Amino acid sequence: MANIKPINTARLEVPLTKEVAVTWQAPSNIALVKYWGKTGIQLPVNPSLSMTLSVACTITTVTALPRENEGPAEIDFYFDGKPEADFGNRIETYLNSIASYMPILNQVKLKIETHNTFPHSTGIASSASAFSALALCLCSLEAKLCNVLITEHEFRSKASYLARLGSGSACRSVLPGFALWGFTVSFPGSSDQLAVQTSDIHPDFYTLHDAILIVHDEKKKVSSSEGHNRMIGHPFAKARVKQANENVEKLLVALKSGDKKAFIQIVENEALTLHALMMTSKNGFMLMYPQTIDIINRIQQWRLQTGIDVCFTLDAGPNIHLMFFEKDFEQIQKLIVEELSLKIKQNRVIYDSCGKGPVNLA
Ligand code: DP6
C-alpha cells in the first residue's frame, strides 16, 4: 500500500486578504483494464490501468477569495463562462466531503471556472478530466496558502487521492502516460486510494493513438455510477475481480516488453467483458449500438487481413476507442474514412493519443 498522508490539517494561520488564483489543464484517460464496481468510500473492487490522453482536457481555474466566517464550502461555479447549477451543486457536495482533508475549503470562498477542450455530448466522460483538474487546483492552492505538499510525489498523491473521491477514474488522470489504480501484488506502491504512474513502458506504447469514433452522443440510459452499483451481488463478480487482477498483471508485462499482440488481446477482452457485465447484471442493459458491433467486427477482420496492430476498447457507452500505433496512422485514417465513416455519427472522430499528463497553466 502506498505510503501517503493525504490528511494534512494545514490551515490558514491568518485570514486571506487578497485573491489567489491557480489554473490546471488535465486530460481524460481511457481505461485499458476497467474499473467496474466499487466499495467503501469510492474504493475500487479491482485494479485498473489506463492511458492518459492528450487532446480531451478540462481547463479549470480556481480562485480563493477572502470570506468572513468559517463554514461549509462556499462556491461560485462557471462552466464555459456561465453559472451551471447542477454541476455546481455536485462540486459543492464534493468539496464538503473532502474538507476534512483540506481545511482551507472551510476558510476561503472559491470561484471555480471550468471549460472542456472537447465538444459537449461526444460521449467522452468529462468527469475524469474535470475532477482531476479541480483536485490539482485545490492542491496548488493549499500548497500556496499553507506551504505544504512540497515534493512532487506528495502533491500528485494528494491530487490523485482527492480526484478519486470526486470520480474514481479521475485519480488516474493526474499522471502522464500509463496509470495504475488499485493494489496490485507485483507493483510496489500501488494502492486502492490513489493512482501511481507505471513508467516501465516500452517506447512503442508511448506512440499509441486513440481515435474516438462517435457512434452515438445522447445521454446514456444507465450512468457509470449506476453501472458500478449493479456489480453488487453480480453473479460473476468474484470471477471478474480475479480476471481484472490477472489482466493488470499481464498488461504490465506486455507494456514493459513491447508485446503488442498481448496488449490487443487484453484490451479487447476488457472492453467486451465490461459490456458483458452490464448485460448480465440484474435488470441487464446494453449500451452498444448496432454500429458499435459492426465496427468491432470490421476492426477485428481488418487486423486479420492486414496484420496491422490495431484494437478497440469501449468505456461505459457505445463509442469506439480505436487504438493503434503512430507508424500506422495513415492506414488507419484510410480505414476510418473509407470503411467506417458511414457508421460514425456525422463522421465525428476525435483523434487523441497518449498524453504527457496535466499542465499547471498558472
Ligand atoms: C467504464 O470513474 O466514471 O470508464 O467513480 O462513479 O465517477 P465514478 O465512475 P467513473 O467510472 C468509469 C468506468 C469506466 C472504466 C474506467 O474508466 O476504468
Side-chain angles (χ1 to χ4, degrees), residues 3 20 33 43 55 69 75 120 124-125 138 152 188 195 210 248 304 310 314 355:
N3 181 20
V20 179
V33 174
L43 295 166
V55 174
N69 300 310
I75 67 161
H120 225 28
I124 298 183
L138 297 177
E152 180 65 19
D210 175 10
V248 162
L304 276 180
V310 57
L314 305 161

Side-chain angles (χ1 to χ4, degrees), residues 181-243:
W181 172 34
F183 175 70
T184 299
V185 178
S186 72
F187 200 101
S190 58
S191 163
D192 286 348
Q193 303 187 46
L194 49 82
V196 290
Q197 192 183 343
T198 59
S199 339
D200 210 352
I201 304 284
H202 188 283
D204 284 358
F205 284 109
Y206 288 117
T207 73
L208 265 171
H209 282 248
D210 175 10
I212 306 160
L213 316 180
I214 311 297
V215 165
H216 211 266
D217 60 2
E218 273 155 33
K219 198 172 164 0
K220 288 184 285 196
K221 55 189 170 199
V222 180
S223 68
S224 289
S225 296
E226 178 51 27
H228 289 293
N229 277 339
R230 304 262 181 114
M231 286 309 291
I232 300 168
H234 192 296
F236 305 144
K238 205 167 153 211
R240 164 59 191 157
V241 170
K242 184 167 177 280
Q243 177 200 38

Side-chain angles (χ1 to χ4, degrees), residues 46 50 83 96 273 328:
N46 64 265
S50 62
N96 284 321
T273 298
D328 302 315

Side-chain angles (χ1 to χ4, degrees), residues 335-347:
L335 166 72
I336 294 172
V337 173
E338 290 178 7
E339 301 203 39
L340 305 178
S341 62
L342 277 181
K343 317 223 178 281
I344 302 170
K345 192 165 182 179
Q346 292 153 359
N347 281 328

Side-chain angles (χ1 to χ4, degrees), residues 178 198-208 251-260 325 354:
F178 296 85
T198 59
S199 339
D200 210 352
I201 304 284
H202 188 283
D204 284 358
F205 284 109
Y206 288 117
T207 73
L208 265 171
L251 187 57
L252 286 168
V253 173
L255 287 171
K256 184 175 170 178
S257 65
D259 188 341
K260 294 176 180 150
F325 295 89
C354 184

Side-chain angles (χ1 to χ4, degrees), residues 16-305:
L16 195 66
T17 49
K18 60 176 179 23
E19 292 185 12
V20 179
V22 294
T23 303
W24 277 88
Q25 171 175 310
S28 187
N29 70 78
I30 179 68
L32 307 170
V33 174
K34 310 292 180 182
Y35 146 55
W36 201 239
K38 51 177 141 174
T39 179
I41 305 176
Q42 197 88 323
L43 295 166
V45 295
N46 64 265
S48 58
L49 208 164
S50 62
M51 182 178 89
T52 299
L53 297 174
S54 68
V55 174
C57 290
T58 298
I59 300 171
T60 298
T61 297
V62 178
T63 310
L65 303 146
R67 81 186 238 188
E68 296 268 306
N69 300 310
E70 288 192 24
E74 262 181 37
I75 67 161
D76 281 330
F77 180 79
Y78 300 88
F79 183 74
D80 281 343
K82 295 188 210 91
E84 232 271 35
D86 279 358
F87 207 53
N89 291 338
R90 181 170 170 197
I91 298 293
E92 200 169 302
T93 308
Y94 165 68
L95 294 176
N96 284 321
S97 77
I98 62 166
S100 58
Y101 305 130
M102 194 173 268
I104 59 163
L105 296 178
N106 300 131
Q107 297 184 289
V108 297
K109 186 177 165 166
L110 295 178
K111 181 176 174 199
I112 302 172
E113 295 159 284
T114 190
H115 150 80
N116 289 338
T117 59
F118 49 96
H120 225 28
S121 63
T122 46
I124 298 183
S126 55
S127 62
S129 52
F131 278 102
S132 160
L134 179 57
L136 287 159
C137 284
L138 297 177
C139 289
S140 275
L141 274 183
E142 190 183 54
K144 274 192 174 181
L145 299 179
C146 305
N147 206 19
V148 288
L149 305 177
I150 309 296
T151 68
E152 180 65 19
H153 178 70
E154 267 180 311
F155 182 87
R156 293 276 161 173
S157 298
K158 183 159 183 177
S160 180
Y161 185 98
L162 294 183
R164 180 199 104 226
L165 294 170
S167 176
S169 55
C171 73
R172 300 183 307 234
S173 272
V174 306
L175 299 162
F178 296 85
L180 171 66
W181 172 34
F183 175 70
T184 299
V185 178
S186 72
F187 200 101
S190 58
S191 163
D192 286 348
Q193 303 187 46
L194 49 82
V196 290
Q197 192 183 343
T198 59
S199 339
D200 210 352
I201 304 284
H202 188 283
D204 284 358
F205 284 109
Y206 288 117
T207 73
L208 265 171
H209 282 248
D210 175 10
I212 306 160
L213 316 180
I214 311 297
V215 165
H216 211 266
D217 60 2
E218 273 155 33
K219 198 172 164 0
K220 288 184 285 196
K221 55 189 170 199
V222 180
S223 68
S224 289
S225 296
E226 178 51 27
H228 289 293
N229 277 339
R230 304 262 181 114
M231 286 309 291
I232 300 168
H234 192 296
F236 305 144
K238 205 167 153 211
R240 164 59 191 157
V241 170
K242 184 167 177 280
Q243 177 200 38
N245 276 280
E246 287 167 1
N247 277 345
V248 162
E249 299 285 3
K250 284 193 226 157
L251 187 57
L252 286 168
V253 173
L255 287 171
K256 184 175 170 178
S257 65
D259 188 341
K260 294 176 180 150
K261 304 282 179 259
F263 175 88
I264 289 170
Q265 195 276 323
I266 297 161
V267 168
E268 292 194 351
N269 175 248
E270 279 290 318
L272 294 175
T273 298
L274 172 69
H275 284 256
L277 289 167
M278 296 175 196
M279 291 181 220
T280 50
S281 64
K282 203 167 173 208
N283 305 322
F285 58 101
M286 204 185 292
L287 298 182
M288 289 192 280
Y289 276 69
Q291 298 91 314
T292 315
I293 297 167
D294 284 349
I295 294 175
I296 288 175
N297 284 328
R298 186 61 195 121
I299 293 167
Q300 292 188 327
Q301 200 183 33
W302 192 83
R303 183 169 66 227
L304 276 180
Q305 285 166 353

